[in-house]
Amino acid sequence: MNKLKHKFKINNKQTPTTLTDATVFSKTHSISFDKPVTKLHVEKLVKQLIQDIGKPLAHNGIIVGHIKVLANVPGEEFLFLSLTRLDRLDVKSSSEWQSGLSSEFTSVTLDINVLVFGHSKKAVEEIVNESLAILRRDSSCGNC
C-alpha cells in the first residue's frame, strides 16, 4: 500500500459555509388595498416585492438559495413567482388568472418563502418587512 506523500492541515479558525447552513424564512401576509386593484396591478406589485426582497440578498445578481412568493386573490386565482437570479424572474399563474384580467380585488394573500445562505433570519425578516412596507405604500396609488 502506498503511503500518502502530502500532509493536509485543517485551519480550524475558518468555518466554511456548507449547504446545511441555510436560513429559512416562511410567512403569510394579508394585504388589504384602500381601493380595488386589477390583477395586472397585483402582478406588478408582487413582481416588485420579490425583486425588493432579492436585491439585498443577492451576490453578484444571484440568490444563493431561492425566494418564492405565492399571491392568492379571492376565488382561487393565484400567481406564483420564483427568483434565483435578479435578471430572471419565473412567473406561473393559475388558468383563471389570465382570463378576466380586468377583475378587481381589495386584498391579496402572500405566502413568502426565502431560503438563503449567508444571511441571518433577523436580516431576512427585516428585508421582507421593508419590502412589504414598500408594497403597501405603492398599492395605495391604485392602478397607477
Side-chain angles (χ1 to χ4, degrees):
M1 181 182 260
N2 293 335
K3 291 185 178 184
L4 291 175
K5 295 181 180 180
H6 301 284
K7 291 184 181 181
F8 294 99
K9 186 175 181 180
I10 297 174
N11 183 352
N12 289 331
K13 293 179 183 176
Q14 296 177 348
T15 306
T17 301
T18 65
L19 292 180
T20 59
D21 294 334
T23 295
V24 179
F25 173 89
S26 182
K27 198 164 184 182
T28 300
H29 294 272
S30 293
I31 308 294
S32 295
F33 304 117
D34 293 337
K35 49 188 170 179
V37 297
T38 64
K39 287 181 195 175
L40 289 175
H41 191 66
V42 170
E43 188 170 334
K44 176 183 168 186
L45 290 169
V46 178
K47 284 179 178 179
Q48 187 59 51
L49 171 71
I50 199 168
Q51 288 287 337
D52 288 344
I53 294 170
K55 285 176 188 170
L57 297 175
H59 299 285
N60 296 323
I62 297 172
I63 309 293
V64 183
H66 63 256
I67 303 168
K68 301 194 184 288
V69 175
L70 177 63
N72 288 295
V73 293
E76 298 187 26
E77 297 180 61
F78 67 86
L79 193 64
F80 179 75
L81 298 93
S82 178
L83 186 68
T84 55
R85 294 176 51 129
L86 294 179
D87 64 350
R88 192 176 312 149
L89 177 61
D90 295 319
V91 181
K92 307 262 189 259
S93 61
S94 62
S95 58
E96 298 86 7
W97 187 268
Q98 295 304 319
S99 62
L101 284 176
S102 63
S103 300
E104 293 186 332
F105 302 94
T106 57
S107 66
V108 64
T109 302
L110 303 170
D111 293 317
I112 301 171
N113 296 287
V114 180
L115 181 143
V116 290
F117 297 88
H119 299 277
S120 70
K121 188 165 186 169
K122 181 179 178 182
V124 172
E125 189 167 9
E126 287 175 2
I127 290 167
V128 169
N129 288 337
E130 290 169 6
S131 300
L132 284 165
I134 293 168
L135 180 141
R136 285 184 178 96
R137 180 199 70 206
D138 291 351
S139 70
S140 66
C141 73
N143 293 318
C144 51

